[in-house]
Amino acid sequence: SSDLDFGFYDASPEYRINISVASTSESIRFGFGEVIGVSSFGYSGDMTFRIKDPSGNIVYGPLTIPTTTGEPGYINSYAEAVNGPFAGGYSYLEINPAKTGDYYLEFYYPPGIDGYSDDNQHAFQYFDMTVVDAAGNNVPGRLWSKAWQFWCEDVESPPTDHRFWGTMVILSDDSIVTEVNSNGMVGGTFSIASNATGCANTGNFSHDRQSTYDDHISPLYKIFLNDPDSLLFPTAKVNSDVLLPITVTSNCTTGGADIGIKVVKDGTVEVLIELNPSPGADPEDVKLMAYVKANPGPGGYNIIHWNGKDNHGNPVPNGTALLATVTCLNGLTHLPLFDIEYNDNGVIVTQVRPTGSQIRIFWDDTQLDGGTADTTTGCITGSGCHTWDISIGDLNTINSWWYVKRTDIPSVPFVLKRSPGTPSNISGLPSVCDFSGTLEYSIKSIKDAESYTWSYTGTGVVISAGDTSVNLTFSPGATSGVLSVHGHNASCGDGTASVLTITIGSKPSVLLTTPDRKSV
């Protein structure tokens, strides 16, 4: 599993601890604090490490983790860790890279009696990896992993001091940098990752972004401990890449609509279907998110389908005037966190590059018992957003997401079209004797019908005009036939019909006979 793979010998690339080197004149200085056994078994001095170059060759080690005060590579205190491999800091180990690229650090310790488990996990009290330039200056923003793992001692119910106050800086694949203030999350051993979709990547946005049971962190984005060095990770330009016009085609049969979007480069867009005329997103408004391509195929349009239902799952009536607003999403970032038992303060996210401010956070925990959701309006507050307790967080993956957007594309007005619904069964007598008279037939209201059309295939019957009910007047000699009704609206025409076969029987004939009488 990912929590066992992180930082291990021969771990998959998603779980490596990377150090990016831009020049062979740079060096990597590093050190480790006390190794703590996470369980009561403690540390047995069995941990080794090595460093590999970008080609996967071992260029340092393997060596045993230093454990003695004054030993090169041993960090004795918090102050030494903060000061780093400089004056007032620790006595460091060093490697002089022979090539540029991403070096990575790997660890190993033997498994316990039951294999690798909570009983023999190891943690560093302090840890430092610093890139130094030719002049001996610190070059920040070079250390990253796609799936960090941390330990904050045993889990305690809040209030507690066993909290994670770390700040993580995430670089999206379109080069947007955002900072996550963990704000005192409570987890024992937990994992942090980031990606573009959430807990899965099936192509179903609403499903993939939902928090879920077990470990599903899906590492993709680089996560740094400070702002990524802009020399290697330059700032992106946030702009709109949608080509006009945007098309909206309503579908009478499905009651939905297809939104056509052309873009100049692959990316992610959000389509806001505004059902509430109030400005901005409202609870009933619908947000659709989709990947779009610059060259999706014939016509050049990416087609995003809306099912014609509001955010509460209710079908939108025919003829409703709507607005579709398309927004390019830059820096779409999901933060799946595994096994954070308590997040009583929530998290705070800030845009770092391009320079920005605090960002609105969204989430959907409804797949978990008792989970909440905010997928439309989002949350933005200086005290933190998206909180949960141990009933939601324990051994589950909780996801939050955010994005940097630019909305400068005019909204597209359109009218929803929906064919009239199928009528209910027609109520009334199906068998009629041959007579001159009037009978009533009726149905329930037809959804999305503006008018009703009744007809009869037999002869000798007059239909009085009506909507949900009509009167049929039968003249003598009327013939059997089929009574039908369908709804109609100006947008989509006629709907499907409901029918009733009416059988007209002949008048009964009576034959009277006089019995023979015999005289007595």
Side-chain angles (χ1 to χ4, degrees), residues 162-358:
H162 294 184
R163 293 181 177 272
F164 180 67
W165 294 99
T167 297
M168 314 299 288
V169 184
I170 300 174
L171 175 69
S172 68
D173 278 358
D174 57 352
S175 299
I176 303 298
V177 179
T178 51
E179 179 183 273
V180 180
N181 178 350
S182 61
N183 205 23
M185 297 185 296
V186 179
T189 303
F190 56 92
S191 300
I192 295 177
S194 183
N195 57 54
T197 59
C199 297
N201 186 15
T202 66
N204 183 334
F205 265 90
S206 60
H207 170 268
D208 293 348
R209 68 191 185 185
Q210 288 184 315
S211 301
T212 188
Y213 294 99
D214 302 320
D215 183 354
H216 295 281
I217 59 173
S218 302
L220 177 65
Y221 291 166
K222 297 178 177 67
I223 303 178
F224 295 76
L225 303 185
N226 45 29
D227 186 3
D229 181 11
S230 59
L231 173 67
L232 294 179
F233 311 102
T235 303
K237 295 180 179 180
V238 180
N239 54 18
S240 170
D241 297 306
V242 175
L243 298 175
L244 300 180
I246 296 167
T247 63
V248 181
T249 305
S250 294
N251 188 311
C252 287
T253 302
T254 64
D258 291 326
I259 297 95
I261 302 172
K262 283 185 178 182
V263 293
V264 298
K265 66 179 182 180
D266 296 355
T268 307
V269 297
E270 175 190 271
V271 180
L272 175 65
I273 307 294
E274 294 189 71
L275 293 105
N276 188 318
S278 301
D282 299 290
E284 59 268 48
D285 293 345
V286 174
K287 279 186 177 180
L288 306 173
M289 298 175 69
Y291 294 119
V292 288
K293 296 182 177 181
N295 297 292
Y301 275 97
N302 297 269
I303 303 300
I304 301 172
H305 178 69
W306 172 48
N307 63 8
K309 296 181 180 180
D310 67 18
N311 195 46
H312 304 300
N314 304 311
V316 177
N318 171 70
T320 303
L322 303 168
L323 288 176
T325 303
V326 176
T327 301
C328 284
L329 301 187
N330 298 94
L332 177 60
T333 302
H334 288 256
L335 183 73
L337 304 173
F338 174 63
D339 205 19
I340 296 289
E341 278 81 0
Y342 296 93
N343 190 14
D344 51 323
N345 295 329
V347 295
I348 302 169
V349 178
T350 306
Q351 180 179 331
V352 177
R353 290 193 279 126
T355 304
S357 56
Q358 190 176 343

Side-chain angles (χ1 to χ4, degrees), residues 20-28 95-97 131-134 139 142 229 231:
S20 296
V21 173
S23 169
T24 54
S25 65
E26 297 174 342
S27 63
I28 303 172
I95 178 174
N96 296 299
V131 175
V132 178
D133 65 18
V139 183
R142 297 291 189 86
D229 181 11
L231 173 67

Side-chain angles (χ1 to χ4, degrees), residues 89-121:
Y90 62 92
S91 175
Y92 55 84
L93 299 172
E94 186 174 29
I95 178 174
N96 296 299
K99 62 175 69 174
T100 61
D102 296 328
Y103 289 70
Y104 51 102
L105 174 67
E106 297 182 328
F107 298 97
Y108 174 78
Y109 60 88
I113 297 174
D114 298 323
Y116 290 109
S117 67
D118 288 345
D119 288 338
N120 72 327
Q121 290 180 10

